[in-house]
Amino acid sequence: MDSELNSKVNLQEILNTLEVDRKKISETYKTCYILFGLAIVILVIGLLIRFPALGFIGFLVSALIAILMHFKIDDDVKQYKADYKTNVVASALKTVNESFVFAPLSGLSEYEFVSSELFTTEPDRYKTQDLITGTTDKTSFWFAEVHAEYKTQTQTKNGTRTEWHTIFEGIIFAADFNKNFNVSTVVRPKSFGASLGAWFSKNVFSFGNTEVVQLENTEFDNKFVTYSKNQIEARYILTPAMMERILALNNKSDETISISFIHSKMYIAFPLSQNYFEAPIHSSLLAPDLLTDDLSIVKFMHDIVHELDLNTRIWGKE
């Protein structure tokens, strides 16, 4: 009890100190915004009264001051954000699970992202951060924010136009499944293409060596399409109980999840647009709901181990 109380007191002291830094940064940003607005006003007035030179000079002076102030505070902002993650978020995560280790600058490697087979397109641009690792009972798990994109290039009259398209944005969760799978089994949301594949798969429609697996849970087959190179192993993994648990987990997600079972691990992709664990700039660190959203998503990830009953060791690693 004393250690828990001391922890809360220490966290409050950290928040009080960081709040001073936050206010300084926030006020500087507000001043920059005002100066940029003033620069535009001076320019417009100068043009209206037919003194464009005066307007441009006023614009440049105000804008330059704003840019210099913004540049000068940049290092303080980076340090503030780093201190918030290292001291505030890392400490708060311990209230969910004492084993949690938070590595803000680390994430899920691009190699692991590709080898998870959750997606069919390899990224041309890949960003990841905020890796959280931990254990609950017998199961090790980890998750991180990921933004993966691919690019397309088209020829235009003015040259080559490059466009970026999102493959995935959200959180990738991974856990030890305690079995070395012989092949990979992948469960993806049912798109139009997947529906066609499932329709033809009554006679085992295949993509190369990978087959669409028909399962005995109609609701599961209506929501997902399952691919595997081994029908027997896929059904061994996706037991009736496991399919019910996956459906229950999916119902708690805003968008349809994707799951793969590969190399003794389970991977789950949760599409999300919100960026978590970021320090607020224009709202107080002393707000009672400061960490509500962050801890909510962490608890959701943490509870997956129990939701999918991963601690029940019905197999041993071969």
Side-chain angles (χ1 to χ4, degrees), residues 29 59 105 179 184 217 247 281 313 316:
Y29 277 163
F59 173 83
L105 299 180
K179 175 177 173 58
S184 59
N217 187 316
L247 284 169
I281 297 294
R313 298 318 210 193

Side-chain angles (χ1 to χ4, degrees), residues 41-292:
V41 170
I42 292 173
L43 177 61
V44 171
I45 291 175
L47 294 174
L48 289 175
I49 63 174
R50 297 184 180 181
F51 281 97
L54 180 62
F56 279 117
I57 291 172
F59 173 83
L60 289 174
V61 170
S62 294
L64 183 60
I65 294 173
I67 291 170
L68 289 174
M69 289 181 65
H70 198 281
F71 180 78
K72 188 176 180 181
I73 201 72
D74 189 55
D75 287 340
D76 291 341
V77 174
K78 291 178 181 177
Q79 188 62 52
Y80 162 71
K81 290 181 176 181
D83 288 344
Y84 176 82
K85 288 191 175 185
T86 303
N87 299 319
V88 176
V89 176
S91 177
L93 291 177
K94 296 291 184 181
T95 65
V96 179
N97 185 319
E98 275 290 337
S99 73
F100 273 153
V101 175
F102 184 45
L105 299 180
S106 297
L108 190 81
S109 71
E110 185 173 349
Y111 171 80
E112 191 169 13
F113 176 84
V114 173
S115 64
S116 72
E117 297 186 18
L118 286 166
F119 307 97
T120 57
T121 305
E122 292 193 15
D124 295 309
R125 186 162 64 188
Y126 184 81
K127 297 178 182 177
T128 183
Q129 63 176 351
D130 295 336
L131 175 67
I132 297 174
T133 60
T135 58
T136 179
D137 295 331
K138 304 170 186 176
T139 303
S140 299
F141 61 96
W142 55 100
F143 54 95
E145 293 184 42
V146 169
H147 188 194
E149 300 169 284
Y150 72 93
K151 67 180 178 181
T152 57
Q153 293 182 318
T154 54
Q155 294 296 325
T156 67
K157 292 186 298 182
N158 299 321
T160 302
R161 183 178 66 190
T162 299
E163 294 181 332
W164 290 94
H165 312 272
T166 295
I167 300 169
F168 174 78
E169 184 176 14
I171 291 178
I172 302 288
F173 173 93
D176 178 10
F177 206 69
N178 200 49
K179 175 177 173 58
N180 289 320
F181 306 119
N182 294 319
V183 298
S184 59
T185 296
V186 182
V187 178
R188 294 195 182 103
K190 206 159 198 178
S191 62
F192 176 75
S195 299
L196 285 178
W199 183 72
F200 280 112
S201 67
K202 293 177 181 178
N203 293 315
V204 191
F205 180 77
S206 62
F207 303 92
N209 293 323
T210 301
E211 300 173 347
V212 174
V213 182
Q214 289 296 295
L215 299 163
E216 296 180 358
N217 187 316
T218 304
E219 183 183 358
F220 191 89
D221 267 350
N222 287 337
K223 180 66 67 173
F224 303 102
V225 59
T226 303
Y227 303 96
S228 182
K229 294 180 181 179
N230 187 320
Q231 296 265 334
I232 295 174
E233 184 171 84
R235 291 187 177 89
Y236 192 39
I237 296 167
L238 295 168
T239 62
M242 176 60 80
M243 286 188 284
E244 289 295 337
R245 293 188 185 105
I246 290 173
L247 284 169
L249 180 66
N250 186 69
N251 288 337
K252 294 180 180 180
S253 304
D254 291 336
E255 295 188 44
T256 306
I257 62 178
S258 300
I259 304 176
S260 66
F261 302 86
I262 184 170
H263 304 318
S264 80
K265 297 180 180 65
M266 165 191 272
Y267 292 93
I268 310 177
F270 294 90
L272 297 165
S273 56
Q274 182 173 339
N275 193 10
Y276 292 91
F277 316 121
E278 298 302 322
I281 297 294
H282 299 296
S283 59
S284 176
L285 287 174
L286 307 181
D289 61 347
L290 172 68
L291 293 164
T292 298

